[in-house]
Amino acid sequence: MVRLYPNRCQLVGSAFISGFLISLVRSFIIDYYLFCSFQIHFVILISRQGKVRLTKWYSPYQQKERSTVIRELSGLILTRGPKLCNFVEWKGFKVVYRRHDSIILVILNLYASLYFCICIDPDDNELEILEIIHHFVEILDRYFGSVCELDLIFNFHKAYYILDEILIAGELQESSKKTVARLIAAQVNVTERCVSLAF
Amino acid sequence: MALTGMRGLSVFISDVRNCQNKEQERLRVDKELGNIRTRFKNEKALTHYEKKKYVWKMLYIYMLGYDVDFGHMEAVSLISAPKYPEKQVGYIVTSCLLTENHEFLRMAINTVRNDIIGRNETFQCLALTMVGNIGGKEFSESLATDVQKLLLSSSCRPLVRKKAALCLLRLYRKNPDVINIDGWYDRMSQLLDERDLGVLTSVMSLFVALVSNNVEAYWNCLPKCVKILERLGRNQDVPQEYTYYGIPSPWIQVKTMRALQYFPTIEDPNTRRALFEVLQHILMGTDVVKNVNKNNAAHAILFEALALVVHLDAEKEMMSQCVALLGKFIAVREPNIRYLGLENMTRLLLVSDAQDIIKRHQAQIIISLKDPDISIRRRALDLLYGMCDVTNAKDIVEELLQYLNTADLAMREELALKAAILAEKFAPDLSWYSYQFLHQFHIICSDIFQM
């Protein structure tokens, strides 16, 4: 997989050549991958203050790279105004993000938003991904009863269980909310049975 | 997942949140890490149940941004726990903390394999999910055959088969040899007959990957794809749970159209006609509605249909419909649609006829160049760059250079480069070119000296 890192060289000369190549590739959008890698590379949930609430990596990012990614994307996304589009271009990838404000917190006038960010390949279908985010949020809402940031802090493990029923290998696994809800309930059942047997 | 026994975790999270500053937080976290380290050292005395609590705490600390450089062994060892709650934690934390080449993962392969081929469906699901998320080449070599068996087995429930499909997709990406083409065109054809839409969603993703590498083998699947699109387009036999805001499984529709873009042509006239009917219906029948999510889903399908129409090199009439639609989109208020309109117009440039029609929208595209949203500005710049030719080069280059004066830092480099390339390529005469070049040079120099 080709990752493009724009060269920050200041001199027009060398910038010309590297920039020329980069802009050629970007302009003609013929990304040739050896294997179809239209996939989600990672999912990140961050709060308005930049605190990470969930991360899931579907492509190999080492520990240091992960911190860098989170820092860079936080800087890019958290500073975007509300009336702008939901897509950001970053290092040859696209990041689709959506801001989520819990209804309850808005009523209480508390300033807390969650940003759901998904990184995809530049040729992938952006609106489809935006709706995957919404699908995930709806399932979380259904499970927690209007999900807010506090739910995801104290029950982050449940968010991971739910995410694993929605995405695998960076692809959508199940688009029926009813089925996902049923599967999570079954998991809870098994766990509770095991716990009660243990006592 | 009950909070019984997880009280320690809740207390820890509360403690961390109550810390007044980063220093306090660090102290609290270090204390806990020290505690966990001690408990892990004394491994013989640790039950799976206790290990589970500590492993969750580790993951929480990791998410806070701290380095957790121990305990991976314990997380992986939970995978061999006999009971579901601990096993689940082992699988999930492993897939969050470890990457595919981690040495500890290798040690888990046998346990994972036992779970996959075993009879416990819940264990199978856990194993397939983890391997699908972080499986590497070694997992691919050891497990692909077993995963294939699960996918193709009629006695497995949809729950397992859909995970097997995506798990196989991952293993295929890591090692394409695991799918033996010879056997697969029949199997793929059968899989596309799948009635369960959850499984079909996953199978379609697998199909897109397979067909992108080898179209020849899967020609017989082409008519099936068109049939799927027809069925979904007419909302035939689609259970309510797979209808998203009134739209039958938009994700399957998008993926199917994506798969069709890998076939160079459609030779059978009946199939071709059926497909164009579906596409025509999408192009003409997608309205803008109030509900944001329905709108997004409908337009996701529309944009994919546009890409497919362009790929199939449809008749002139359909192409001009596409350009007309895009021309409408680049002027709407909704920023997402404007962005996608610009992006898809750039793609349309690859089709030779469209350039002239696109040039009619030049004024609107230049307005987009100065949009408050940097994502849209970038798309507008790419489009202007791509649609530039001898007839409009002068206007476009002058426009770009004028904008360079006021452009923000993030855009300047690209703006300057593209303007320079266009000026050189399409310069009508030397004096115009030298003026543009000097003008640009002046702007860039004053930038550098101001820094």
Side-chain angles (χ1 to χ4, degrees):
Chain A
M1 197 168 59
V2 175
R3 286 197 203 145
L4 303 172
Y5 294 89
N7 195 333
R8 294 329 246 156
C9 178
Q10 298 295 324
L11 298 170
V12 174
S14 42
F16 188 95
I17 295 178
S18 58
F20 177 65
L21 291 171
I22 292 167
S23 51
L24 247 190
V25 173
R26 278 240 303 261
S27 296
F28 291 98
I29 312 179
I30 305 173
D31 292 306
Y32 178 72
Y33 298 106
L34 188 55
F35 303 113
C36 169
S37 56
F38 284 125
Q39 64 166 107
I40 291 172
H41 295 291
F42 52 80
V43 177
I44 298 179
L45 261 72
I46 26 177
S47 72
R48 190 81 182 82
Q49 290 75 32
K51 294 244 161 163
V52 175
R53 296 304 172 204
L54 185 147
T55 58
K56 189 86 184 188
W57 306 84
Y58 297 103
S59 286
Y61 282 82
Q62 297 308 323
Q63 177 60 21
K64 271 210 168 62
E65 289 175 299
R66 292 181 183 191
S67 319
T68 314
V69 165
I70 293 172
R71 200 176 46 242
E72 285 181 13
L73 283 181
S74 303
L76 260 178
I77 291 176
L78 296 177
T79 49
R80 278 173 75 79
K83 295 211 166 82
L84 305 184
C85 74
N86 295 85
F87 318 122
V88 180
E89 295 172 20
W90 169 79
K91 292 205 166 136
F93 294 104
K94 271 207 193 118
V95 180
V96 178
Y97 72 96
R98 186 179 172 266
R99 179 175 148 167
H100 174 75
D101 295 316
S102 138
I103 302 169
I104 296 175
L105 290 178
V106 167
I107 292 172
L108 292 177
N109 214 15
L110 286 171
Y111 187 49
S113 325
L114 269 174
Y115 287 79
F116 288 70
C117 312
I118 292 190
C119 174
I120 53 172
D121 293 303
D123 272 354
D124 213 339
N125 189 315
E126 295 90 338
L127 288 176
E128 174 196 37
I129 302 296
L130 197 51
E131 289 314 300
I132 289 181
I133 294 179
H134 184 70
H135 179 56
F136 183 32
V137 172
E138 279 192 321
I139 294 175
L140 289 173
D141 261 347
R142 208 189 238 207
Y143 183 80
F144 289 109
S146 190
V147 67
C148 66
E149 196 183 341
L150 226 51
D151 289 319
L152 292 176
I153 294 170
F154 282 95
N155 293 295
F156 68 98
H157 50 304
K158 296 186 189 176
Y160 276 108
Y161 296 146
I162 293 174
L163 185 58
D164 269 355
E165 292 307 319
I166 299 175
L167 295 176
I168 290 185
E171 305 275 353
L172 182 68
Q173 179 193 166
E174 180 58 72
S175 62
S176 157
K177 284 185 272 289
K178 190 166 138 194
T179 307
V180 175
R182 206 170 10 103
L183 289 171
I184 301 290
Q187 284 177 21
V188 174
N189 227 346
V190 175
T191 311
E192 279 177 353
R193 250 189 300 133
C194 287
V195 169
S196 63
L197 284 175
F199 288 112
Chain B
M1 283 199 298
L3 279 174
T4 331
M6 297 288 252
R7 215 163 50 85
L9 178 61
S10 298
V11 168
F12 173 61
I13 296 175
S14 294
D15 281 351
V16 168
R17 282 172 60 73
N18 289 333
C19 290
Q20 303 291 346
N21 53 42
K22 196 81 187 159
E23 263 316 301
Q24 271 192 14
E25 186 186 274
R26 165 131 254 155
L27 280 171
R28 180 68 186 89
V29 164
D30 279 343
K31 178 172 160 216
E32 194 63 41
L33 282 175
N35 180 31
I36 300 175
R37 217 181 252 122
T38 321
R39 300 302 300 257
F40 279 170
K41 273 210 187 90
N42 197 7
E43 213 198 304
K44 291 203 182 67
L46 218 55
T47 61
H48 283 302
Y49 181 71
E50 285 173 317
K51 237 189 256 182
K52 175 177 81 167
K53 290 191 299 184
Y54 295 124
V55 161
W56 271 132
K57 281 184 185 169
M58 260 171 47
L59 182 60
Y60 186 75
I61 294 172
Y62 172 80
M63 262 177 18
L64 286 175
Y66 294 95
D67 249 324
V68 179
D69 53 5
F70 71 97
H72 297 155
M73 192 62 213
E74 282 72 16
V76 174
S77 74
L78 273 177
I79 292 178
S80 2
K83 296 228 200 72
Y84 181 79
E86 286 79 41
K87 199 183 261 286
Q88 185 184 33
V89 176
Y91 272 117
I92 293 214
V93 177
T94 303
S95 70
C96 291
L97 287 183
L98 274 61
T99 54
E100 64 190 58
N101 298 318
H102 204 284
E103 42 183 315
F104 290 161
L105 271 183
R106 221 169 284 144
M107 297 190 246
I109 287 189
N110 270 329
T111 321
V112 174
R113 183 158 188 272
N114 288 335
D115 281 336
I116 287 182
I117 61 180
R119 296 192 182 238
N120 188 324
E121 194 182 71
T122 49
F123 291 2
Q124 280 179 326
C125 289
L126 287 176
L128 288 169
T129 306
M130 188 196 82
V131 176
N133 285 337
I134 62 167
K137 203 149 187 223
E138 285 178 9
F139 273 89
S140 187
E141 282 153 15
S142 322
L143 301 173
T145 325
D146 300 307
V147 174
Q148 271 189 46
K149 274 207 200 96
L150 287 180
L151 172 59
L152 300 168
S153 152
S154 48
S155 58
C156 275
R157 289 210 294 152
L159 160 65
V160 176
R161 294 177 57 229
K162 72 182 181 202
K163 286 182 192 275
L166 291 178
C167 184
L168 189 61
L169 169 56
R170 166 111 191 171
L171 299 179
Y172 172 71
R173 281 184 183 140
K174 295 298 157 187
N175 181 7
D177 295 329
V178 300
I179 295 215
N180 183 356
I181 303 277
D182 288 331
W184 264 84
Y185 46 78
D186 277 334
R187 292 186 195 144
M188 199 64 239
S189 192
Q190 267 180 335
L191 284 171
L192 287 175
D193 284 330
E194 179 63 50
R195 299 302 295 177
D196 181 300
L197 290 180
V199 179
L200 188 58
T201 308
S202 306
V203 160
M204 199 48 85
S205 295
L206 176 62
F207 180 59
V208 170
L210 292 177
V211 95
S212 69
N213 285 319
N214 191 338
V215 181
E216 296 305 315
Y218 300 104
W219 277 108
N220 58 339
C221 295
L222 201 161
K224 297 229 164 147
C225 289
V226 179
K227 284 230 162 49
I228 289 172
L229 277 180
E230 278 183 312
R231 177 183 149 208
L232 292 176
R234 290 192 204 127
N235 204 347
Q236 233 173 313
D237 295 332
V238 180
Q240 183 58 26
E241 59 185 296
Y242 286 101
T243 305
Y244 186 76
Y245 292 92
I247 299 174
S249 198
W251 293 283
I252 299 184
Q253 294 194 51
V254 167
K255 283 253 149 37
T256 313
M257 288 193 273
R258 175 76 51 78
L260 288 172
Q261 287 170 57
Y262 287 103
F263 292 93
T265 55
I266 301 181
E267 285 171 358
D268 174 41
N270 288 328
T271 313
R272 195 180 163 91
R273 193 184 42 242
L275 179 58
F276 274 113
E277 258 176 48
V278 172
L279 293 174
Q280 181 75 2
H281 184 248
I282 295 172
L283 287 182
M284 297 283 82
T286 305
D287 295 318
V288 175
V289 292
K290 255 199 148 147
N291 181 302
V292 170
N293 303 106
K294 179 166 184 176
N295 221 13
N296 285 343
H299 284 84
I301 297 173
L302 174 61
F303 281 110
E304 201 67 44
L306 273 170
L308 184 52
V309 167
V310 171
H311 165 78
L312 293 173
D313 205 8
E315 306 93 43
K316 196 101 189 182
E317 197 193 306
M318 226 178 188
M319 291 296 279
S320 30
Q321 269 173 356
C322 291
V323 184
L325 265 176
L326 290 177
K328 214 174 59 175
F329 287 153
I330 63 175
V332 300
R333 243 187 354 187
E334 159 77 36
N336 287 344
I337 304 290
R338 252 184 303 144
Y339 175 93
L340 293 170
L342 289 167
E343 188 183 51
N344 281 277
M345 244 190 203
T346 316
R347 290 207 183 112
L348 216 51
L349 285 170
L350 297 173
V351 177
S352 50
D353 288 350
Q355 183 132 357
D356 292 319
I357 322 176
I358 290 175
K359 281 199 274 191
R360 294 188 209 148
H361 299 279
Q362 188 168 311
Q364 181 60 44
I365 301 169
I366 289 178
I367 294 174
S368 298
L369 185 63
K370 299 157 196 166
D371 195 284
D373 187 343
I374 187 170
S375 303
I376 293 181
R377 292 201 295 272
R378 287 215 169 102
R379 291 295 105 237
L381 177 57
D382 271 358
L383 182 51
L384 284 171
Y385 179 78
M387 66 191 260
C388 194
D389 63 12
V390 284
T391 59
N392 56 14
K394 247 185 115 200
D395 294 329
I396 289 183
V397 171
E398 282 166 14
E399 202 60 62
L400 291 181
L401 286 177
Q402 201 178 42
Y403 181 54
L404 188 60
N405 271 320
T406 48
D408 60 293
L409 215 55
M411 284 280 284
R412 277 212 180 151
E413 187 182 318
E414 208 181 328
L415 206 45
L417 289 166
K418 290 200 156 110
I421 297 167
L422 291 177
E424 190 182 318
K425 212 165 144 189
F426 295 112
D429 51 64
L430 196 56
S431 61
W432 178 85
Y433 175 67
S434 346
Y435 175 74
Q436 302 302 339
F437 180 73
L438 287 170
H439 183 196
Q440 193 180 36
F441 197 58
H442 165 75
I443 298 172
I444 295 167
C445 284
S446 45
D447 266 347
I448 295 175
F449 288 124
Q450 264 163 38
M451 286 178 190

